[in-house]
Amino acid sequence: MELMFKIIICFLAGAGAGLGTGFAGMSAAAVVGPILVAFLNVPPYEAVGIGLISDVFASAVSAYTYKKNGNLDIKNSLPMMLSVLVVTIIGSITASFLPERAMGNTMQIALIFVGLRFLLKPVNTTKEQMSAITPKKRLINSIIGGVFIGFICGFVGAGGGMMMLFVLTSFLGYQMHMAVGTSVFIMAFTALTGGISHFAIGGVPDILTMILCVIFTLLWARIAAHIANKASAATLNRVVGVIMILTSIAILIVNRFN
């Protein structure tokens, strides 16, 4: 019975995380971590690590799907990715010395407002408009945004993917599908760096829990990414907004009663 309960919880965590990753470029740790802590009593730092490793595979398969559909900008995303990777390590180390959810609730509230942004002011940028931004401006904004996102990802293990989507669309002028595809591409490397840092500091997590979360998150991320690439920009905006808001509210509730 205990094993079945663990499988069910990991399936639900993986489904929520995978859908969020494939549709909205969301970090899997944003869902997996709080659920594992609340229902399986996994230590918070360990739960974040499991969420980040789940995110590696989910983001990688999502990025591959977006690339096949021409919605991934690898070249211009590299400066942001490098800055995110470096600062993620710093954030992960910092998190080991501070309360586990020092920024958790604040981040979820911020993401509710970000979700409302996509609902009330959808991103209608075209690929032609993307190319109009000067390389210098894109480079500066990429590095600044990467530092901010990397610290969030490493410190709280959640919110990095969604904030990256916000930065890509609001400050770098990315078209919606391209922003999600580029976001999951960067998050695959960011999550790997953050996950390794967490395990190097906190030790190896429960292997069965990690494997279950990885498999279920990967499965649902693949399904969501396939559907998202067939959807219109208007539909994707609405889906992203709803996912951000509902996920953040759910996590706030889980944290409140944990």
Side-chain angles (χ1 to χ4, degrees), residues 47-154:
V48 169
I50 292 175
L52 288 170
I53 292 301
S54 300
D55 197 12
V56 173
F57 296 94
S59 292
V61 73
S62 296
Y64 175 73
T65 302
Y66 278 90
K67 184 178 185 299
K68 286 200 307 180
N69 289 272
N71 291 315
L72 174 56
D73 181 15
I74 296 178
K75 179 181 178 181
N76 291 317
S77 67
L78 293 180
M80 175 180 285
M81 183 175 74
L82 292 175
S83 58
V84 168
L85 291 177
V86 172
V87 182
T88 293
I89 298 175
I90 297 174
S92 182
I93 295 174
T94 303
S96 67
F97 298 102
L98 297 173
E100 301 293 346
R101 289 196 297 273
M103 287 176 57
N105 290 343
T106 300
M107 178 54 58
Q108 300 310 323
I109 293 172
L111 291 176
I112 290 176
F113 285 98
V114 173
L116 287 172
R117 185 266 188 196
F118 286 107
L119 285 176
L120 301 177
K121 190 180 180 182
V123 176
N124 298 311
T125 308
T126 64
K127 292 184 179 180
E128 290 73 22
Q129 290 173 321
M130 279 179 55
S131 61
I133 298 177
T134 64
K136 180 179 180 180
K137 181 178 180 181
R138 189 182 300 276
L139 176 62
I140 294 174
N141 288 349
S142 293
I143 295 174
I144 294 175
V147 169
F148 175 64
I149 294 163
F151 188 76
I152 290 175
C153 185

Side-chain angles (χ1 to χ4, degrees), residues 198-209:
H198 268 66
F199 296 154
I201 296 170
V204 179
D206 179 73
I207 299 299
L208 177 58
T209 301

Side-chain angles (χ1 to χ4, degrees), residues 152-203:
I152 290 175
C153 185
F155 189 71
V156 300
M162 289 182 280
M163 292 307 297
M164 189 178 303
L165 184 62
F166 177 73
V167 170
L168 288 171
T169 55
S170 299
F171 297 100
L172 296 177
Y174 272 63
Q175 181 260 354
M176 193 63 182
H177 287 83
M178 187 73 74
V180 177
T182 303
S183 175
V184 291
F185 170 73
I186 296 175
M187 284 306 299
F189 295 94
T190 304
L192 178 62
T193 303
I196 292 175
S197 299
H198 268 66
F199 296 154
I201 296 170

